Amino acid sequence: MNKLLSKIARVGIVTEKFKPLTDPELEKLGAEIKAVIDRRFAGSLAIRQVDAGSCNACELEIAALGNPFYDAERFGIHFVASPRHADVLLVTGPVSRHMQAALLATYEATPEPKWVVAVGTCAADGGEFGSNYASCGAVGNVLKVDAVIRGCPPTPTELIRGLLSLFAKP
Amino acid sequence: MNAVPSSNLKAQDRLASCLLSLGTAGFAALKSAGSTLGPALLCVIPSENWAGAAELAAAGDCRWAAGWADEQGGAAIVHALLEKAGDYLLLRTQLPPGCNELASQTPYFPGAARPERHARDLFGLDFLGHPDSRRWVRHQAWDERSFPLRENFPLSGHPQPLTPPDRHYAFASARGDEVNEIPVGPVHAGIIEPGHFRFLAVGETVLNLEERLGYVHKGIEKLAVGRDPESLARLAGRISGDTTVGHAWAACQAMERASGIEPPPRALWLRAIFAERERVANHLNDIGMICNDTAFAFGYYQFSRLRELWLRDNLRWFGHRLLMDRVVPGGVAADLTAEAAAAMPAAIASLKRELDELKPILDSGPIFQDRVVAAGILPESTARALGCLGYVGRASGIDWDLREQSPYAPYDRLEVHAAVRGEGDVAARLYLRYAEVYASLNLIEACLGRIDDGPIRAGWHPPAESAESLGLVEGWRGEITAYVRFDGKGRIARFYPRDPSVFNWPALEKLILGNIVPDFPLCNKSVNGSYSGQDL
Ligand code: SF4
């Protein structure tokens, strides 16, 4: 236990201690998105992530939003386990045909008002896979998309910037 | 009784001598005398001998390392890659035109079950004697009489506007008042890939688990057809994004062998640096996630912090956090700058220091230890029967690491000592990966010490018509194989990548038995199969 506590004390809060390593843009974006989320979502934006056919690298970067450098929860962004608790669906991948029905069912299960954000080049335009016998291509071919965050995969900072651009709109 | 044609007898003899040579000095002699495919000795056998060959190979303790089908001029061709003591034998058979039946090898190699079902769904081959007649990768996106990898099937297929969900898959069931059936997925609660798990449980105890995968099948093998080498490497780097270096390397290695192109030495050192960096990043990630699954938040935050620092270094030094598109045909697309070479040793030393500090904290966490020790035990015999790879196999006592036992450049000039353990539980897989992080850090240091100056990419020239080869690379999950065949225009006619998850996923169905349902996420994470890598 002592070792554990002393490790915590020595590492400290990385966003401060490792200041030179954190992305200054992230801090600025964070403050902005927090203001927007406070104003429009009473401080809490619930996201349900749906991998609809990704190569899994987009998931790695979305999951990185939870590491202590980004700690997206401090801005009020949190990932929920059920679409019924979600404001936003964050959809990755070209939509594989085998996931099309599941994606639509997830969308149906999300209460209004709701937004769909397509994450990654594949979700934006089909990417390296496009549409074919097994893939519907872009998320926009299956659902109405409210915002697109490009990148293969987008970095965590780009993800936060993308969410901000969606909600900063009047 | 019909007399056996003498050509079949000859083929039988050759097969027997090939099998006997594996792991002996005679293998090199046979290889230099006979036909080869990359590092493998090629043995073409009549289709009647297909099951007999598997029986002989199983009796001779071979491992079934991959299996895939192909089509040339309307005739189906089937491959099975066998390995023993670091030597590879590729069995090939061609079916008579119009014939789609072949004996199954699954009765002798249980790990062949899903690859054969995959070939059945995509090529329309019937594997006679296969114990499972259900579809696998096919759900409802194409009908049971169309076969997407056949030449006459267009890439675009004939999809319906809305592909219906796959409702009528016959899962194993059990009757009894006490038995609960628990369906999970395809959409999971966390930020992970989709797939379906069907549990039969009595109280909390798992009686049976069936995986239903194929949800992220997006036609990778069909998409590969007609691509040029550059574009195939990009596609290979997206088979399983967490293994972008491993798959791109395997695909490039296969294409380079087919074309007779040697990447320059500096490129090979850089590929190894990238591959080891990928291994470290994924191991750190999963160690943190396993901590998270036991509600050990401290561990999750520490290891995810270390991983983030590591990825930022990737971006700073090589231009991409996950190193996508850094391995290209003929070499690599990112060089090691003097600045990176100077800074990397300090970053490695600091990571080692932190790992030294964190290990005793994991060791002495009583709740953490209680969760990981003796959870999800995979016995060695099961791991061998399924052909488990990487840390899943090594944690169950299988001493197999391509970098050590059958090294490819530049590992042939490095010393790799794979860690092996025998317990086969979540703790063994976790600590084995902990040891592998140190080993990879040492390997990166060795690469930095020995890297040659010079170019990082060789020029490309198209291979001969129908040139083919195999790529074999030890990715962070284990051995990756990639088969490539070119057409007459320097483009890809057939590409089959086999991710190690193909053999590790079935192990999860076994190691979870008798564990409690709430330990499933933990057991699953300790294996961490790739959905996209298996679904293609
Ligand atoms: S955008 Fe790139 S990282 Fe994301 S799913 Fe597609 S290929 Fe993978």
Side-chain angles (χ1 to χ4, degrees):
Chain A
M1 203 45 156
N2 281 344
K3 279 193 183 131
L4 186 151
L5 293 176
S6 94
K7 179 75 184 167
I8 292 175
R10 270 176 296 125
V11 170
I13 296 169
V14 289
T15 38
E16 287 174 9
K17 184 167 178 193
F18 287 91
K19 199 101 204 181
L21 285 175
T22 61
D23 193 334
E25 191 194 11
L26 173 70
E27 296 303 312
K28 199 173 132 266
L29 281 173
E32 278 178 53
I33 198 163
K34 184 152 178 14
V36 171
I37 290 172
D38 283 351
R39 201 169 60 241
R40 301 197 50 193
F41 294 91
S44 157
L45 179 72
I47 297 181
R48 173 67 264 216
Q49 199 269 325
V50 184
D51 172 345
S54 123
C55 78
N56 79 24
C58 276
E59 277 55 48
L60 292 176
E61 292 297 49
I62 295 171
L65 290 174
N67 80 38
F69 282 95
Y70 303 100
D71 188 19
E73 292 230 5
R74 70 194 149 126
F75 309 134
I77 298 172
H78 55 114
F79 288 88
V80 294
S82 167
R84 300 202 190 278
H85 305 156
D87 305 303
V88 169
L89 292 184
L90 212 56
V91 186
T92 61
V95 180
S96 72
R97 298 200 185 270
H98 292 167
M99 277 300 290
Q100 191 182 8
L103 175 62
L104 288 168
T106 306
Y107 182 79
E108 284 307 312
T110 310
E112 297 276 1
K114 56 189 165 190
W115 290 266
V116 173
V117 181
V119 170
T121 308
C122 292
D125 62 18
E128 205 55 50
F129 306 98
S131 70
N132 63 44
Y133 77 93
S135 163
C136 307
V139 175
N141 294 343
V142 176
L143 286 178
K144 188 183 149 294
V145 169
D146 299 289
V148 173
I149 304 175
R150 285 176 179 271
C152 184
T155 63
T157 310
E158 287 165 344
L159 287 165
I160 294 198
R161 187 192 298 138
L163 288 171
L164 180 64
S165 71
L166 171 63
F167 296 111
K169 281 184 223 152
Chain B
M1 209 177 125
N2 292 337
V4 180
S6 67
S7 61
N8 277 18
L9 282 178
K10 250 196 242 148
Q12 283 277 35
D13 286 350
R14 175 161 151 78
L15 171 68
S17 66
C18 287
L19 282 170
L20 282 175
S21 77
L22 295 179
T24 70
F27 179 73
L30 273 179
K31 255 179 83 171
S32 59
S35 44
T36 58
L37 198 78
L41 178 62
L42 181 66
C43 185
V44 180
I45 59 176
S47 55
E48 306 87 85
N49 296 3
W50 195 245
E55 188 177 6
L56 265 182
D61 288 327
C62 289
R63 174 170 66 91
W64 199 89
W68 66 96
D70 196 354
E71 180 186 17
Q72 264 179 294
I77 296 166
V78 181
H79 294 100
L81 183 67
L82 303 168
E83 180 272 332
K84 185 179 174 183
D87 291 338
Y88 286 87
L89 179 68
L90 183 65
L91 299 181
R92 167 184 288 171
T93 194
Q94 179 163 351
L95 305 187
C99 168
N100 293 318
E101 286 181 357
L102 184 68
S104 167
Q105 295 192 329
T106 302
Y108 308 99
F109 292 106
R114 288 178 184 175
E116 285 186 346
R117 290 166 74 190
H118 181 91
R120 183 170 62 203
D121 289 351
L122 294 169
F123 273 100
L125 299 177
D126 275 329
F127 289 92
L128 306 175
H130 194 292
D132 193 338
S133 60
R134 294 171 301 172
R135 58 186 181 272
W136 178 242
V137 72
R138 181 174 72 81
H139 291 195
Q140 300 295 330
W142 64 98
D143 71 71
E144 61 182 324
R145 275 177 303 277
S146 331
F147 305 107
L149 286 182
R150 288 287 183 168
E151 281 164 2
N152 59 10
F153 185 100
L155 173 62
S156 57
H158 316 283
Q160 298 167 257
L162 174 59
T163 297
D166 194 33
R167 286 203 200 286
H168 302 292
Y169 186 78
F171 286 99
S173 61
R175 263 183 277 272
D177 293 345
E178 307 282 306
V179 185
N180 303 304
E181 194 167 333
I182 311 172
V184 178
V187 180
H188 296 307
I191 304 173
I192 54 169
E193 298 181 81
H196 184 92
F197 301 107
R198 188 66 61 98
F199 296 91
L200 297 175
V202 174
E204 287 206 311
T205 306
V206 178
L207 198 63
N208 193 54
L209 164 65
E210 253 196 279
E211 296 156 359
R212 177 78 181 111
L213 303 177
Y215 285 91
V216 290
H217 175 70
K218 40 196 176 280
I220 287 177
E221 291 163 273
K222 190 81 179 178
L223 279 167
V225 177
R227 288 197 176 218
D228 61 22
E230 196 103 359
S231 136
L232 185 77
R234 259 199 326 275
L235 181 67
R238 287 159 180 81
I239 289 166
S240 181
D242 52 20
T243 319
T244 181
V245 174
H247 274 288
W249 190 350
C252 287
Q253 199 188 62
M255 292 190 285
E256 288 153 6
R257 283 172 175 165
S259 311
I261 288 170
E262 276 285 330
R266 187 175 179 81
L268 293 169
W269 291 114
L270 277 162
R271 284 181 179 179
I273 291 174
F274 298 162
E276 298 309 323
R277 292 193 69 88
E278 180 166 274
R279 197 180 318 274
V280 169
N282 280 293
H283 285 357
L284 291 175
N285 194 43
D286 285 355
I287 294 169
M289 295 308 278
I290 287 171
C291 291
N292 200 38
D293 281 339
T294 63
F296 189 30
F298 166 83
Y300 165 66
Y301 286 119
Q302 293 297 333
F303 288 100
S304 65
R305 174 178 63 85
L306 295 176
R307 174 175 187 273
E308 177 67 23
L309 290 171
W310 192 252
L311 296 190
R312 288 177 179 203
D313 284 345
N314 279 349
L315 178 66
R316 183 172 322 131
W317 295 331
F318 304 113
H320 193 282
R321 282 166 56 95
L322 304 175
L323 303 173
M324 265 182 176
D325 305 325
R326 306 299 107 158
V327 176
V328 291
V332 293
D335 204 350
L336 179 74
T337 61
E339 181 230 335
M344 223 183 290
I348 290 174
S350 131
L351 176 53
K352 282 185 179 169
R353 217 167 30 244
E354 297 229 32
L355 290 170
D356 290 346
E357 258 175 29
L358 289 168
K359 173 117 182 334
I361 298 176
L362 291 189
D363 292 346
S364 60
I367 300 174
F368 180 72
Q369 290 296 318
D370 185 54
R371 293 289 304 281
V372 296
V373 172
I377 296 175
L378 179 69
E380 180 177 343
S381 54
T382 313
R384 281 197 190 278
L386 294 172
C388 292
L389 292 167
Y391 52 82
V392 175
R394 289 193 287 272
S396 289
I398 300 179
D399 189 3
W400 173 251
D401 185 318
L402 202 58
R403 296 171 302 165
E404 183 179 352
Q405 274 97 347
S406 192
Y408 47 100
Y411 293 102
D412 50 356
R413 289 190 277 159
L414 291 165
E415 285 213 27
V416 181
H417 299 292
V420 182
R421 298 175 70 109
E423 307 92 321
D425 57 356
V426 172
R429 289 186 283 279
L430 174 89
Y431 281 116
L432 194 121
R433 296 178 74 177
Y434 215 100
E436 285 190 2
V437 175
Y438 284 105
S440 290
L441 295 175
N442 292 340
L443 282 171
I444 297 172
E445 284 173 333
C447 292
L448 288 174
R450 304 190 43 186
I451 189 164
D452 306 86
D453 288 333
I456 56 169
R457 198 167 179 185
W460 190 260
H461 56 80
E465 176 157 4
S466 300
E468 50 179 352
S469 198
L470 274 180
L472 287 162
V473 163
E474 185 78 18
W476 66 272
R477 276 194 183 89
E479 176 200 78
I480 298 169
T481 68
Y483 169 76
V484 162
R485 178 169 63 82
F486 282 93
D487 63 12
K489 300 193 200 79
R491 293 182 174 265
I492 302 299
R494 176 79 175 109
F495 173 54
Y496 174 71
R498 199 273 294 130
D499 190 86
S501 308
V502 165
F503 300 120
N504 290 349
W505 270 120
L508 179 63
E509 290 186 341
K510 303 292 181 210
L511 63 84
I512 193 65
L513 299 179
N515 286 259
I516 56 174
V517 176
D519 269 352
F520 176 70
L522 181 64
C523 292
N524 187 15
K525 199 71 209 177
S526 78
V527 172
N528 193 8
S530 165
Y531 299 70
S532 50
Q534 111 85 42
D535 293 352
L536 298 180

